[in-house]
Amino acid sequence: MTFVHSCSSVCLLIFSVLFIIIAIRTWTFSVRVDKVRECRSVDSDFIQATDEVIERFQKALKFQTVSVEPHVYNTSELHQLKEFIKSAFPTIHGSPLVTFEEVANYSLLYTVQGSDGTLAPYFLAAHLDVVPVSPELWDAPPFGAEIRDGFIYARGTIDFKQGVMGILEALEYLLSRGIKPRRSFYIGFGHDEEVNNQVKVGTTEKGQVIIELKVKGEPGHSSMPKKESAISILAKAVVKFLSRKPSTNAITRTVTSVTLIQGGVKVNIIPPEATAYVNHRIHPSQSVQEIIDYDRQIINDERVQIRASYSMEPHPLSPYGDEDFGYQTIKNSIRQVWKEAVVAPGVMIGNTDSRHYIRFTTNIYRFSPTFMFPDDVKRFHGNNERMSVKNYEQVVNFYYHVMMNADQEKLPPFHQHSSEL
Ligand SMILES: *[C@@H]1O[C@H](CO)[C@@H](O)[C@H](O)[C@H]1NC(C)=O
Ligand SMILES: *[C@@H]1O[C@H](CO)[C@@H](O)[C@H](O)[C@H]1NC(C)=O
């Protein structure tokens, strides 16, 4: 109330305009709204989160499949998780429709053979590894998978063992009901997702460039300093970076951070050179080269050598139109499980394994069926990662609906009435 009273008419006007812009943007993002049958717990094919389903999830969470850096992952735990998966889902692993392969020892690939070879197959992806933990900062053991107040606490509950186990539960259920898919599909679980990266439904992903700034100066003793040393020149360059006024909206959406500075060798020696690394997460509207050029222009100092030490262009935009089967299938599956959800395309801000697949298709959708309370965002890669039992049940049913909806030959007929626009 106080808010409304203190808000002038100008302020109200701004809000109205903003509201209209958001409404138009939402409307034009995806006009298509199919009638979907809501997923209800009384449905004959609703997958209940029974004690067995929850226990399987808890067991998977207890394997400490921690990835530390490239090629440093816990192979014995990955091996045990794989053996557990094979024993926990006997229908999948015994089905004549399913081919199971181990890739690079620890990644798992399933091929589910559909009956209609004319339908293009699809691929569901998740990963088996998790990021390291600081157990002393957790309220519950990070690999204990204890349930407290309806939440399962463990590393991997939201990144991304819920996906692994949710997909497997859905497939086990589908096959045990005797359903024979028409459309073939693949399921891939990587074991090194967390470390092969340097560090909404996402229809694209930010790129990344790590820029090395190097200054070669003159070495000397600190008792006889020259006016400028390698470190001071570098420091000036880094400060120009960080204090710049974003000149365009697009730049502000590319995120920059200085991640490493090195130079000194001894407290009383002026070092011959100094280096800094700057990490940019690149918005899809920009390219790696544009970022490098922009940095060069901002620093504007020839003594600072600028080069990209690692780079990856932002991913191409995946289609999200009214007739795009993949996007609409995911959207309809979301709306079946989360009736109130408004589904819109977005940019994935982190990087995922999907970069391996951009060679094969432009229809890549990054979506995690995870309900996050505002407080939960910091638990992602943080402490006290958790998922509610209810959310896990939704995860399983979401993947089941994806498999059932994707098995349709095409989207349901949809007629857009232009007069309604
Ligand atoms: C793998 O995890 C187990 C269980 O925590 C631990 O005992 C073992 O030392 C780990 N191995 C490596 C290579 O980190
Ligand atoms: C797979 O395991 C074998 C035996 O431990 C090892 O020699 C090989 O390097 C591993 N391959 C990969 C890709 O990790």
Side-chain angles (χ1 to χ4, degrees):
M1 268 308 170
T2 42
F3 171 73
V4 174
H5 282 299
S6 63
C7 198
S8 68
S9 55
V10 175
C11 168
L12 275 176
L13 180 70
I14 291 170
F15 276 111
S16 318
V17 171
L18 264 181
F19 177 79
I20 290 166
I21 291 171
I22 291 167
I24 290 172
R25 293 279 289 190
T26 310
W27 184 252
T28 51
F29 265 145
S30 194
V31 177
R32 183 181 185 118
V33 181
D34 287 316
K35 280 205 171 57
V36 295
R37 205 177 50 80
E38 190 195 341
C39 173
R40 293 172 191 270
S41 57
V42 293
D43 291 346
S44 62
D45 63 350
F46 183 84
I47 307 175
Q48 307 276 351
T50 58
D51 290 349
E52 295 89 80
V53 167
I54 295 302
E55 276 163 25
R56 277 194 287 268
F57 186 35
Q58 288 173 296
K59 279 196 180 147
L61 291 165
K62 287 180 185 174
F63 295 101
Q64 307 191 13
T65 53
V66 174
S67 285
V68 182
E69 56 182 88
H71 309 295
V72 182
Y73 25 78
N74 196 316
T75 53
S76 64
E77 295 286 303
L78 283 165
H79 177 76
Q80 288 180 46
L81 174 56
K82 173 179 71 186
E83 293 304 313
F84 164 71
I85 286 174
K86 285 200 275 191
S87 67
F89 299 100
T91 312
I92 296 175
H93 293 87
S95 169
L97 300 177
V98 179
T99 312
F100 170 70
E101 292 163 77
E102 293 165 16
V103 180
N105 293 350
Y106 308 107
S107 288
L108 313 181
L109 177 65
Y110 296 84
T111 308
V112 182
Q113 191 61 51
S115 58
D116 185 346
T118 65
L119 301 179
Y122 66 101
F123 184 90
L124 296 173
H127 60 90
L128 302 162
D129 60 330
V130 297
V131 293
V133 292
S134 309
E136 68 282 4
L137 299 176
W138 284 58
D139 300 330
F143 295 100
E146 285 177 11
I147 301 181
R148 299 187 181 179
D149 296 330
F151 285 87
I152 307 166
Y153 283 81
R155 175 61 89 224
T157 45
I158 55 177
D159 183 21
F160 205 94
K161 285 180 176 166
Q162 89 283 20
V164 171
M165 295 302 283
I167 290 170
L168 290 169
E169 289 290 349
L171 181 59
E172 179 82 5
Y173 181 84
L174 185 147
L175 293 172
S176 59
R177 278 170 61 94
I179 296 172
K180 292 194 168 64
R182 291 189 298 166
R183 187 187 296 276
S184 296
F185 59 104
Y186 301 91
I187 297 170
F189 300 140
H191 67 276
D192 57 359
E193 195 269 356
E194 295 292 1
V195 286
N196 261 351
N197 305 316
Q198 298 272 325
V199 235
K200 305 169 190 184
V201 178
T203 47
T204 183
E205 211 168 277
K206 281 197 171 183
Q208 196 179 159
V209 58
I210 297 175
I211 289 183
E212 184 191 82
L213 308 175
K214 183 178 280 206
V215 180
K216 292 208 161 78
E218 283 184 24
H221 194 271
S222 59
S223 60
M224 299 173 290
K226 298 230 169 56
K227 202 163 145 268
E228 284 192 303
S229 71
I231 287 187
S232 69
I233 296 168
L234 184 70
K236 271 187 206 145
V238 169
V239 167
K240 277 186 200 166
F241 250 112
L242 292 181
S243 62
R244 70 190 173 184
K245 287 239 161 37
S247 62
T248 66
N249 194 19
I251 289 283
T252 63
R253 288 182 273 148
T254 287
V255 185
T256 299
S257 50
V258 178
T259 52
L260 178 70
I261 296 187
Q262 57 194 28
V265 281
K266 204 158 178 282
V267 285
N268 57 354
I269 303 282
I270 297 172
E273 64 174 46
T275 318
Y277 292 90
V278 182
N279 188 332
H280 296 279
R281 297 299 177 115
I282 309 169
H283 189 267
S285 63
Q286 296 187 298
S287 68
V288 169
Q289 192 57 47
E290 278 175 329
I291 299 298
I292 297 173
D293 293 346
Y294 187 78
D295 286 356
R296 192 163 276 138
Q297 184 195 330
I298 286 286
I299 292 173
N300 192 23
D301 185 340
E302 280 168 12
R303 293 169 300 178
V304 181
Q305 299 167 18
I306 300 172
R307 72 173 193 101
S309 73
Y310 167 85
S311 70
M312 183 180 69
E313 296 287 354
H315 291 188
L317 195 62
S318 302
Y320 52 87
D322 285 348
E323 297 305 327
D324 291 309
F325 185 86
Y327 181 77
Q328 296 298 337
T329 296
I330 296 169
K331 179 171 134 181
N332 286 344
S333 308
I334 296 169
R335 291 176 53 239
Q336 280 178 283
V337 177
W338 288 274
K339 195 167 73 109
E340 313 295 340
V342 175
V343 184
V347 177
M348 178 88 187
I349 43 181
N351 289 136
T352 70
D353 264 351
S354 59
R355 70 188 178 290
H356 301 305
Y357 310 122
I358 50 184
R359 292 182 279 153
F360 302 114
T361 176
T362 52
N363 300 318
I364 296 177
Y365 301 97
R366 304 145 189 91
F367 178 73
S368 167
T370 306
F371 187 92
M372 303 267 258
F373 294 94
D375 166 51
D376 287 341
V377 178
K378 64 176 188 294
R379 300 172 193 266
F380 186 89
H381 282 199
N383 306 316
N384 293 317
E385 186 178 338
R386 65 179 192 177
M387 171 172 279
S388 70
V389 169
K390 179 171 182 289
N391 191 174
Y392 184 61
E393 187 175 69
Q394 292 168 324
V395 170
V396 174
N397 283 285
F398 167 76
Y399 283 117
Y400 174 72
H401 286 295
V402 168
M403 290 174 195
M404 299 304 284
N405 293 334
D407 208 40
Q408 305 305 308
E409 193 183 331
K410 49 182 188 283
L411 291 166
F414 175 73
H415 180 61
Q416 189 178 320
H417 298 277
S418 52
S419 58
E420 286 174 9
L421 288 172

